[in-house]
Amino acid sequence: MAEGIARMISGRLTMRADVERDQATGTDSWGNPTVPDFQPLGTLKCFAWSTSSREIVDGDKTAMVEDMRVMFALDADIEEGDEISAIKDRQGTVIIPGRLKVDGPVQRKHTHLEAALMRIG
């Protein structure tokens, strides 16, 4: 039964995320973390979706906020703070442009990993 569930989840992973991880280490001369240095980690099978979107109005400023989530296979190398430069379909066409950051801890579900995404920029 577990193999059947794993196949079902892998069948849902119809998208591909180009994942990058910060490789910067250490601190500067003031003791602050060094400037982030995101380097490509790899392309992971995934499925991303929007849970909701809303408009926020603050005086003369208006912003759209979209809550997004993404799921990966249980063995995916994905961590809090990783960034996604783009999410593509199987043919390589960008369907969700980046930059997206894995926001908060990656949650381990019974059949997959799941994470919240935050748009950067």
Side-chain angles (χ1 to χ4, degrees):
M1 175 148 167
E3 291 176 11
I5 292 172
R7 277 195 301 273
M8 180 180 70
I9 292 300
S10 68
R12 293 268 334 260
L13 304 179
T14 58
M15 301 173 187
R16 305 295 181 261
D18 293 334
V19 179
E20 298 179 1
R21 185 165 291 156
D22 184 7
Q23 301 300 315
T25 59
T27 57
D28 63 16
S29 58
W30 296 96
N32 297 313
T34 56
V35 175
D37 178 24
F38 282 91
Q39 297 295 320
L41 181 65
T43 299
L44 299 176
K45 293 179 181 180
C46 70
F47 183 80
W49 69 97
S50 175
T51 58
S52 67
S53 63
R54 60 199 174 279
E55 184 178 70
I56 297 175
V57 179
D58 180 18
D60 294 335
K61 297 178 275 182
T62 301
M64 288 298 295
V65 176
E66 184 175 21
D67 297 320
M68 293 188 66
R69 301 214 40 98
V70 62
M71 73 175 169
F72 298 95
L74 283 172
D75 62 351
D77 182 10
I78 190 78
E79 298 176 358
E80 179 178 0
D82 286 350
E83 294 188 5
I84 297 173
S85 59
I87 296 178
K88 303 173 182 177
D89 64 15
R90 288 180 177 154
Q91 288 75 38
T93 303
V94 174
I95 53 178
I96 302 172
R99 295 205 61 92
L100 303 165
K101 183 176 184 172
V102 176
D103 188 30
V106 176
Q107 300 171 346
R108 184 178 178 88
K109 304 291 186 171
H110 293 293
T111 58
H112 62 280
L113 300 177
E114 192 171 313
L117 296 177
M118 176 178 64
R119 186 160 303 277
I120 300 170

